[in-house]
Amino acid sequence: MKQIAEDCIMKKKMSVNETVREALAIALLKLMKTEEISKISVSDIVRVAGVGRSSFYRNFASKEELVCSYIVDLYRERFDSKEIPTQKDGKTEAFLTPRFNFIKEHRDIFKALHEHNLLYYFFIKIESDIIPILCGQEFVSPYHRAMLSGSCAGIIRMWIERDFAESVEEMVRLFSNPI
């Protein structure tokens, strides 16, 4: 079952630890397609990933942290670039469009997050990255961050439940003009 770890090595140039982390995440996501996260054991994950049990505990405190860490890493990898427009630039559409595209591109992961009640956890993890940018200011009170994170999670939850029926462009319009 070392196939997932080997596939990760072949796919990108990553450190051994990055490869192990990705293999664990892919294994967990694969298992989550057929099993509730609460019924998936660490032994199941490492068996499918093809890595040692200590690899899990060296990198993650929980299964939830593993799956959310994976999508957060993908998110940060995509949006840490200075080339992505920000809300501060006054380009709301240019800011939101790549983010909705990201969600649609990773729809299987977002569906898994939703099905296993982890979607809000993802937004908590990125709220310090995205919420101040959405508000156009550096400091946003923790209460406003929580409110906006919940709103973002709710909008994405609804889009997932509607099986991404609306286009990215429509989602940007809805998000930009909520009422």
Side-chain angles (χ1 to χ4, degrees):
M1 280 301 210
K2 292 186 180 186
Q3 190 61 43
I4 291 177
E6 290 171 3
D7 288 347
C8 290
I9 291 169
M10 301 300 286
K11 193 166 71 171
K12 312 177 202 177
K13 293 191 179 210
M14 298 187 299
S15 71
V16 171
N17 196 52
E18 289 170 330
T19 301
V20 167
R21 288 172 59 91
E22 185 167 311
L24 287 166
I26 292 169
L28 178 54
L29 288 165
K30 182 177 181 180
L31 291 165
M32 287 170 64
K33 289 180 180 179
T34 58
E35 199 71 49
E36 290 179 36
I37 194 167
S38 62
K39 294 182 180 175
I40 299 170
S41 70
V42 171
S43 296
D44 294 333
I45 298 167
V46 298
R47 178 182 44 76
V48 172
V51 300
R53 188 175 177 82
S54 63
S55 296
F56 179 91
Y57 292 108
R58 185 174 43 251
N59 287 284
F60 305 103
S62 68
K63 298 174 281 189
E64 294 78 10
E65 180 186 344
L66 163 60
V67 72
C68 286
S69 175
Y70 179 65
I71 192 66
V72 167
D73 288 348
L74 291 173
Y75 175 86
R76 288 190 175 138
E77 184 179 300
R78 171 82 58 89
F79 295 112
D80 274 350
S81 169
K82 300 293 184 213
E83 296 172 21
I84 302 291
T86 67
Q87 180 71 7
K88 290 179 192 176
D89 300 331
K91 299 176 182 175
T92 304
E93 188 175 313
F95 174 77
L96 291 173
T97 300
R99 284 158 178 83
F100 278 106
N101 278 327
F102 174 82
I103 292 165
K104 197 163 190 176
E105 178 183 329
H106 296 288
R107 70 174 46 193
D108 290 341
I109 298 172
F110 280 95
K111 282 181 179 181
L113 290 174
H114 174 55
E115 289 167 9
H116 296 274
N117 298 313
L118 297 171
L119 191 59
Y120 186 65
Y121 188 80
F122 166 74
F123 282 97
I124 290 171
K125 290 292 191 182
I126 67 160
E127 74 181 12
S128 62
D129 294 346
I130 196 169
I131 300 304
I133 295 169
L134 275 173
C135 295
Q137 57 193 39
E138 290 299 316
F139 176 75
V140 178
S141 81
Y143 294 102
H144 285 104
R145 279 200 319 265
M147 179 186 69
L148 291 168
S149 290
S151 297
C152 290
I155 290 167
I156 302 310
R157 177 189 55 81
M158 184 61 65
W159 198 30
I160 291 167
E161 289 174 1
R162 292 176 51 81
D163 200 27
F164 301 89
E166 294 79 12
S167 68
V168 167
E169 294 77 17
E170 182 64 18
M171 291 306 296
V172 169
R173 276 193 300 281
L174 289 168
F175 196 89
S176 300
N177 304 304
I179 297 180

